[in-house]
Structure formats: C-alpha cells, structure tokens
C-alpha cells in the first residue's frame, strides 16, 4: 500500500506557542489530504480536507484560524496549531487518498503544557 | 446525515476461532468499503477494501459486502492475540467523502 509519513511523531509545547505538523505522501501524489484528531478511547474526528493549491475545507466546529492548513505541493500538507492550549492536546493523524483508498500517517501526539 | 454504524464491543473471541465484525451504512449510493485496524496509540492501517457484492479474501481476512442490505462484514479466521485491536469500518459515499464508523474493539482470548 501507499506510504504516508508524519513529522514529528511526538511534540510537547508550552501553552500559547504554535506547532507545525508535516504530512507527506512518500510514493504517490496526493491531491487531497485529510487531518483527523483523536482523543484517548474516542473515535476519529475529521478536522479538515486539504486540497493542493486551494484552501482547506474545515468541518463544522473546527476553527480555521486556530488550525492552519497548507497543502503547497502534491506530496506535502502541513497543519499548524496556533496559540496552543492544553485542551488541544491530542493525537493528530493525517491521511491521503490514492485512488479509492485512503492511507494514514503514523500520527503526531501533541501535548500542550 | 450519512452514518456508518458498528457495535462498539468489546467482542471477545477465543484464540483460533473466527471473529466476525459487522457494519451497516446509510448511504445507499456508496461504492467503496474499507476495513481498518487500529492498535491502541497507533494510527489506523488499511487491511481490506471491497467494491462489489460478495466475498473478498486476503489471507486470514474475508470481507463481505451486501449492498442491498447495506451491510459490510469482516471475518478473521484462526484469530491470534495480535489481532486484538479496534476495527474501523469506512464507507466512501457518492460525494467521495469517506465516513468512518466508531470502531469495534476486538479482544482475542489466549
């Protein structure tokens, strides 16, 4: 299957700072990438759909000014959590579509202190 | 509201037995169906895709699709302790968006 990478895998930051998470499709081009958040023992929550060369589409209730998404190339999408707060601590997972199938990156565990 | 429904479990199955996971979906126009496995603390991993009615087998896994009943299932034969995980059913609708179920926790008893 297709390979999606994410960096960093784990990050700890202080409240009020910003954190950038990178998502890369390694062996295919992805015109569409997705960002999810998952709290412990909860289901995946789609935050936004990232389209190469255009603005991201955010799900209802997700603040676009807080979660900045940039999809500058066919292999890279970034999610920046701005002015992070402890309640933003979560497991952030990106995914990318190749054909009909969707492949997930390994995830980034964000802890805001 | 398009939905994908799964029993949350936990489903406990003895080692070596067949584990049967079920999923129903609401969008009758859906065309693509997927099963993901997610270990605790890890991201989901695609294990099966199925696009047409009937069965699709891959090793110990068999996906079954019945579009008339809007029903997808995953059978795991010869269950192993390493199969213990949460299994997510996912459905791609006519709008091309993939909707995930909340997952079924499977526990294989040694």
């Amino acid at each position: 299957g297709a390979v999606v990478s994410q960096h960093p895998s784990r990050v700890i930051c202080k409240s009020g700072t910003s954190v950038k998470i990178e998502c890369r499709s390694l062996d295919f081009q992805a015109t569409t990438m997705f960002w999810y958040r998952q709290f412990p023992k909860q289901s995946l929550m789609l935050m936004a759909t990232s389209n190469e060369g255009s603005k991201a589409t955010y799900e209802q209730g997700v603040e676009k000014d807080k979660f900045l998404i940039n999809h500058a190339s066919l292999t890279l999408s970034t999610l920046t959590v701005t002015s992070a707060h402890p309640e933003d601590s979560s497991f952030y997972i990106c995914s990318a579509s190749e054909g009909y199938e969707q492949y997930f990156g390994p995830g980034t565990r964000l802890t805001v202190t | 509201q398009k939905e994908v429904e799964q029993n949350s479990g936990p489903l406990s199955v003895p080692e070596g037995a067949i584990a049967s996971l079920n999923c129903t979906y609401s969008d009758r126009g859906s065309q693509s169906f997927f099963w993901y496995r997610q270990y605790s603390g890890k991201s989901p991993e695609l294990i099966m895709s199925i696009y047409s009615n009937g069965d699709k087998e891959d090793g110990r896994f068999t996906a079954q699709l019945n579009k008339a009943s809007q029903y997808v299932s995953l059978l795991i034969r010869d269950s192993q302790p390493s199969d213990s995980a949460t299994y997510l059913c996912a459905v791609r609708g006519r709008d091309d968006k993939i909707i995930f179920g909340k997952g079924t926790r499977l526990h294989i008893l040694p």
Side-chain angles (χ1 to χ4, degrees):
Chain A
V3 180
V4 179
S5 71
Q6 247 181 278
H7 178 80
S9 58
R10 188 178 293 269
V11 59
I12 301 172
C13 70
K14 291 187 190 276
S15 189
T17 60
S18 295
V19 173
K20 181 186 281 190
I21 302 169
E22 291 187 350
C23 176
R24 293 182 186 271
S25 56
L26 296 187
D27 53 358
F28 66 103
Q29 294 184 327
T31 53
T32 305
M33 290 183 171
F34 306 88
W35 287 95
Y36 293 83
R37 182 164 61 179
Q38 188 173 38
F39 293 106
K41 300 192 188 302
Q42 302 279 318
S43 57
L44 288 171
M45 189 195 85
L46 178 64
M47 299 175 66
T49 301
S50 166
N51 299 294
E52 187 267 336
S54 65
K55 290 183 179 180
T57 303
Y58 290 81
E59 296 299 303
Q60 194 170 8
V62 177
E63 299 175 59
K64 61 181 180 183
D65 293 331
K66 181 168 184 62
F67 299 100
L68 300 178
I69 291 172
N70 183 277
H71 193 155
S73 77
L74 288 171
T75 59
L76 173 65
S77 176
T78 60
L79 168 69
T80 301
V81 183
T82 62
S83 187
H85 290 285
E87 56 266 30
D88 298 323
S89 298
S90 188
F91 190 42
Y92 291 86
I93 316 172
C94 73
S95 71
S97 286
E98 187 192 33
Y100 292 116
E101 297 174 346
Q102 189 169 318
Y103 296 90
F104 285 87
T108 296
R109 192 161 303 282
L110 170 64
T111 303
V112 184
T113 60
Chain B
Q1 178 87 5
K2 295 167 193 169
E3 293 180 342
V4 176
E5 299 284 345
Q6 293 181 258
N7 188 317
S8 62
L11 174 65
S12 296
V13 173
E15 183 175 356
I18 296 175
S20 178
L21 303 161
N22 304 314
C23 170
T24 58
Y25 59 94
S26 62
D27 184 359
R28 189 169 283 280
S30 300
Q31 296 296 322
S32 308
F33 308 86
F34 312 93
W35 284 100
Y36 289 81
R37 177 177 61 200
Q38 185 175 24
Y39 292 114
S40 181
K42 302 293 186 183
S43 67
E45 173 192 7
L46 179 65
I47 55 172
M48 289 288 283
S49 309
I50 186 166
Y51 304 100
S52 54
N53 278 329
D55 295 0
K56 179 182 177 184
E57 187 175 316
D58 184 0
R60 294 187 296 113
F61 298 102
T62 299
Q64 299 175 317
L65 174 61
N66 184 326
K67 290 185 180 179
S69 301
Q70 295 174 241
Y71 178 90
V72 194
S73 65
L74 179 70
L75 302 178
I76 306 175
R77 287 182 299 283
D78 187 24
S79 296
Q80 303 296 309
S82 59
D83 295 326
S84 296
T86 296
Y87 289 80
L88 305 172
C89 173
V91 175
R92 181 187 291 274
R94 280 171 287 187
D95 60 358
D96 232 21
K97 184 179 282 191
I98 292 184
I99 307 294
F100 286 85
K102 294 185 188 296
T104 298
R105 284 184 295 133
L106 174 65
H107 182 48
I108 305 301
L109 304 169

PDB file of all heavy atoms in Angstrom, chain A residues 30-33 49-54 69-78:
ATOM      1  N   ALA A  30      -0.686  13.128  -3.858  1.00  0.00           N
ATOM      2  CA  ALA A  30      -1.992  13.213  -3.206  1.00  0.00           C
ATOM      3  C   ALA A  30      -2.584  14.601  -3.421  1.00  0.00           C
ATOM      4  O   ALA A  30      -2.116  15.573  -2.828  1.00  0.00           O
ATOM      5  CB  ALA A  30      -1.849  12.920  -1.714  1.00  0.00           C
ATOM      6  N   THR A  31      -3.590  14.674  -4.261  1.00  0.00           N
ATOM      7  CA  THR A  31      -4.236  15.972  -4.445  1.00  0.00           C
ATOM      8  C   THR A  31      -5.089  16.324  -3.236  1.00  0.00           C
ATOM      9  O   THR A  31      -5.367  17.494  -2.990  1.00  0.00           O
ATOM     10  CB  THR A  31      -5.140  15.964  -5.697  1.00  0.00           C
ATOM     11  OG1 THR A  31      -6.041  14.858  -5.607  1.00  0.00           O
ATOM     12  CG2 THR A  31      -4.310  15.830  -6.956  1.00  0.00           C
ATOM     13  N   THR A  32      -5.488  15.318  -2.492  1.00  0.00           N
ATOM     14  CA  THR A  32      -6.317  15.545  -1.304  1.00  0.00           C
ATOM     15  C   THR A  32      -5.711  14.845  -0.106  1.00  0.00           C
ATOM     16  O   THR A  32      -5.360  13.665  -0.180  1.00  0.00           O
ATOM     17  CB  THR A  32      -7.757  15.037  -1.520  1.00  0.00           C
ATOM     18  OG1 THR A  32      -8.302  15.645  -2.680  1.00  0.00           O
ATOM     19  CG2 THR A  32      -8.632  15.373  -0.319  1.00  0.00           C
ATOM     20  N   MET A  33      -5.569  15.588   0.964  1.00  0.00           N
ATOM     21  CA  MET A  33      -5.126  15.010   2.234  1.00  0.00           C
ATOM     22  C   MET A  33      -6.142  15.397   3.303  1.00  0.00           C
ATOM     23  O   MET A  33      -6.879  16.380   3.148  1.00  0.00           O
ATOM     24  CB  MET A  33      -3.735  15.509   2.623  1.00  0.00           C
ATOM     25  CG  MET A  33      -2.627  14.963   1.728  1.00  0.00           C
ATOM     26  SD  MET A  33      -1.007  15.511   2.293  1.00  0.00           S
ATOM     27  CE  MET A  33       0.074  14.528   1.249  1.00  0.00           C
ATOM     28  N   THR A  49     -10.311  18.896   5.243  1.00  0.00           N
ATOM     29  CA  THR A  49      -9.844  18.295   3.998  1.00  0.00           C
ATOM     30  C   THR A  49      -8.951  19.313   3.313  1.00  0.00           C
ATOM     31  O   THR A  49      -9.342  20.470   3.115  1.00  0.00           O
ATOM     32  CB  THR A  49     -11.030  17.937   3.092  1.00  0.00           C
ATOM     33  OG1 THR A  49     -11.880  17.030   3.789  1.00  0.00           O
ATOM     34  CG2 THR A  49     -10.555  17.301   1.803  1.00  0.00           C
ATOM     35  N   SER A  50      -7.758  18.863   2.971  1.00  0.00           N
ATOM     36  CA  SER A  50      -6.750  19.748   2.403  1.00  0.00           C
ATOM     37  C   SER A  50      -6.596  19.440   0.920  1.00  0.00           C
ATOM     38  O   SER A  50      -6.326  18.304   0.545  1.00  0.00           O
ATOM     39  CB  SER A  50      -5.431  19.493   3.146  1.00  0.00           C
ATOM     40  OG  SER A  50      -4.337  20.061   2.487  1.00  0.00           O
ATOM     41  N   ASN A  51      -6.781  20.431   0.089  1.00  0.00           N
ATOM     42  CA  ASN A  51      -6.655  20.260  -1.358  1.00  0.00           C
ATOM     43  C   ASN A  51      -5.456  21.031  -1.870  1.00  0.00           C
ATOM     44  O   ASN A  51      -5.286  22.212  -1.548  1.00  0.00           O
ATOM     45  CB  ASN A  51      -7.916  20.757  -2.056  1.00  0.00           C
ATOM     46  CG  ASN A  51      -9.143  19.992  -1.617  1.00  0.00           C
ATOM     47  OD1 ASN A  51      -9.273  18.802  -1.880  1.00  0.00           O
ATOM     48  ND2 ASN A  51     -10.048  20.650  -0.931  1.00  0.00           N
ATOM     49  N   GLU A  52      -4.640  20.385  -2.669  1.00  0.00           N
ATOM     50  CA  GLU A  52      -3.435  21.010  -3.201  1.00  0.00           C
ATOM     51  C   GLU A  52      -3.777  22.253  -3.994  1.00  0.00           C
ATOM     52  O   GLU A  52      -4.629  22.214  -4.890  1.00  0.00           O
ATOM     53  CB  GLU A  52      -2.668  19.996  -4.062  1.00  0.00           C
ATOM     54  CG  GLU A  52      -1.316  20.477  -4.530  1.00  0.00           C
ATOM     55  CD  GLU A  52      -1.356  21.137  -5.891  1.00  0.00           C
ATOM     56  OE1 GLU A  52      -2.287  20.847  -6.664  1.00  0.00           O
ATOM     57  OE2 GLU A  52      -0.459  21.942  -6.194  1.00  0.00           O
ATOM     58  N   GLY A  53      -3.149  23.336  -3.626  1.00  0.00           N
ATOM     59  CA  GLY A  53      -3.318  24.572  -4.367  1.00  0.00           C
ATOM     60  C   GLY A  53      -4.565  25.375  -4.047  1.00  0.00           C
ATOM     61  O   GLY A  53      -4.808  26.405  -4.673  1.00  0.00           O
ATOM     62  N   SER A  54      -5.347  24.928  -3.092  1.00  0.00           N
ATOM     63  CA  SER A  54      -6.547  25.694  -2.734  1.00  0.00           C
ATOM     64  C   SER A  54      -6.752  25.665  -1.222  1.00  0.00           C
ATOM     65  O   SER A  54      -6.035  24.975  -0.501  1.00  0.00           O
ATOM     66  CB  SER A  54      -7.774  25.155  -3.461  1.00  0.00           C
ATOM     67  OG  SER A  54      -8.056  23.837  -3.034  1.00  0.00           O
ATOM     68  N   ILE A  69      -4.045  25.106   7.770  1.00  0.00           N
ATOM     69  CA  ILE A  69      -3.641  24.008   6.892  1.00  0.00           C
ATOM     70  C   ILE A  69      -3.126  24.585   5.594  1.00  0.00           C
ATOM     71  O   ILE A  69      -3.751  25.460   4.989  1.00  0.00           O
ATOM     72  CB  ILE A  69      -4.829  23.056   6.645  1.00  0.00           C
ATOM     73  CG1 ILE A  69      -5.161  22.309   7.930  1.00  0.00           C
ATOM     74  CG2 ILE A  69      -4.513  22.073   5.516  1.00  0.00           C
ATOM     75  CD1 ILE A  69      -6.418  21.485   7.866  1.00  0.00           C
ATOM     76  N   ASN A  70      -1.973  24.055   5.182  1.00  0.00           N
ATOM     77  CA  ASN A  70      -1.378  24.445   3.920  1.00  0.00           C
ATOM     78  C   ASN A  70      -1.026  23.202   3.127  1.00  0.00           C
ATOM     79  O   ASN A  70      -0.411  22.278   3.647  1.00  0.00           O
ATOM     80  CB  ASN A  70      -0.108  25.283   4.173  1.00  0.00           C
ATOM     81  CG  ASN A  70       0.502  25.785   2.882  1.00  0.00           C
ATOM     82  OD1 ASN A  70       1.247  25.074   2.218  1.00  0.00           O
ATOM     83  ND2 ASN A  70       0.171  26.999   2.515  1.00  0.00           N
ATOM     84  N   HIS A  71      -1.443  23.163   1.868  1.00  0.00           N
ATOM     85  CA  HIS A  71      -1.164  21.995   1.012  1.00  0.00           C
ATOM     86  C   HIS A  71      -0.460  22.521  -0.226  1.00  0.00           C
ATOM     87  O   HIS A  71      -1.062  22.667  -1.286  1.00  0.00           O
ATOM     88  CB  HIS A  71      -2.492  21.315   0.669  1.00  0.00           C
ATOM     89  CG  HIS A  71      -2.346  19.961   0.068  1.00  0.00           C
ATOM     90  ND1 HIS A  71      -3.349  19.011   0.151  1.00  0.00           N
ATOM     91  CD2 HIS A  71      -1.351  19.376  -0.619  1.00  0.00           C
ATOM     92  CE1 HIS A  71      -2.968  17.919  -0.465  1.00  0.00           C
ATOM     93  NE2 HIS A  71      -1.772  18.111  -0.934  1.00  0.00           N
ATOM     94  N   ALA A  72       0.831  22.822  -0.059  1.00  0.00           N
ATOM     95  CA  ALA A  72       1.573  23.556  -1.079  1.00  0.00           C
ATOM     96  C   ALA A  72       2.014  22.702  -2.254  1.00  0.00           C
ATOM     97  O   ALA A  72       2.293  23.215  -3.332  1.00  0.00           O
ATOM     98  CB  ALA A  72       2.790  24.209  -0.437  1.00  0.00           C
ATOM     99  N   SER A  73       2.102  21.393  -2.050  1.00  0.00           N
ATOM    100  CA  SER A  73       2.532  20.532  -3.151  1.00  0.00           C
ATOM    101  C   SER A  73       1.723  19.246  -3.121  1.00  0.00           C
ATOM    102  O   SER A  73       0.949  19.007  -2.190  1.00  0.00           O
ATOM    103  CB  SER A  73       4.020  20.211  -3.027  1.00  0.00           C
ATOM    104  OG  SER A  73       4.241  19.229  -2.031  1.00  0.00           O
ATOM    105  N   LEU A  74       1.920  18.417  -4.131  1.00  0.00           N
ATOM    106  CA  LEU A  74       1.152  17.176  -4.227  1.00  0.00           C
ATOM    107  C   LEU A  74       1.610  16.110  -3.239  1.00  0.00           C
ATOM    108  O   LEU A  74       1.010  15.043  -3.163  1.00  0.00           O
ATOM    109  CB  LEU A  74       1.233  16.619  -5.648  1.00  0.00           C
ATOM    110  CG  LEU A  74       0.431  17.401  -6.686  1.00  0.00           C
ATOM    111  CD1 LEU A  74       0.746  16.898  -8.089  1.00  0.00           C
ATOM    112  CD2 LEU A  74      -1.068  17.279  -6.421  1.00  0.00           C
ATOM    113  N   THR A  75       2.676  16.403  -2.495  1.00  0.00           N
ATOM    114  CA  THR A  75       3.171  15.413  -1.539  1.00  0.00           C
ATOM    115  C   THR A  75       3.273  15.947  -0.119  1.00  0.00           C
ATOM    116  O   THR A  75       3.700  15.225   0.777  1.00  0.00           O
ATOM    117  CB  THR A  75       4.558  14.892  -1.959  1.00  0.00           C
ATOM    118  OG1 THR A  75       5.464  15.997  -2.039  1.00  0.00           O
ATOM    119  CG2 THR A  75       4.499  14.184  -3.315  1.00  0.00           C
ATOM    120  N   LEU A  76       2.882  17.191   0.115  1.00  0.00           N
ATOM    121  CA  LEU A  76       3.075  17.769   1.440  1.00  0.00           C
ATOM    122  C   LEU A  76       1.887  18.619   1.863  1.00  0.00           C
ATOM    123  O   LEU A  76       1.448  19.509   1.135  1.00  0.00           O
ATOM    124  CB  LEU A  76       4.341  18.637   1.462  1.00  0.00           C
ATOM    125  CG  LEU A  76       4.591  19.453   2.741  1.00  0.00           C
ATOM    126  CD1 LEU A  76       4.827  18.525   3.925  1.00  0.00           C
ATOM    127  CD2 LEU A  76       5.780  20.390   2.551  1.00  0.00           C
ATOM    128  N   SER A  77       1.380  18.316   3.058  1.00  0.00           N
ATOM    129  CA  SER A  77       0.377  19.156   3.698  1.00  0.00           C
ATOM    130  C   SER A  77       0.860  19.430   5.112  1.00  0.00           C
ATOM    131  O   SER A  77       1.467  18.559   5.747  1.00  0.00           O
ATOM    132  CB  SER A  77      -0.989  18.468   3.724  1.00  0.00           C
ATOM    133  OG  SER A  77      -1.947  19.243   4.431  1.00  0.00           O
ATOM    134  N   THR A  78       0.620  20.643   5.604  1.00  0.00           N
ATOM    135  CA  THR A  78       1.016  20.958   6.972  1.00  0.00           C
ATOM    136  C   THR A  78      -0.178  21.457   7.765  1.00  0.00           C
ATOM    137  O   THR A  78      -1.076  22.112   7.217  1.00  0.00           O
ATOM    138  CB  THR A  78       2.128  22.023   7.017  1.00  0.00           C
ATOM    139  OG1 THR A  78       1.647  23.220   6.399  1.00  0.00           O
ATOM    140  CG2 THR A  78       3.378  21.545   6.310  1.00  0.00           C
TER     141      THR A  78
END
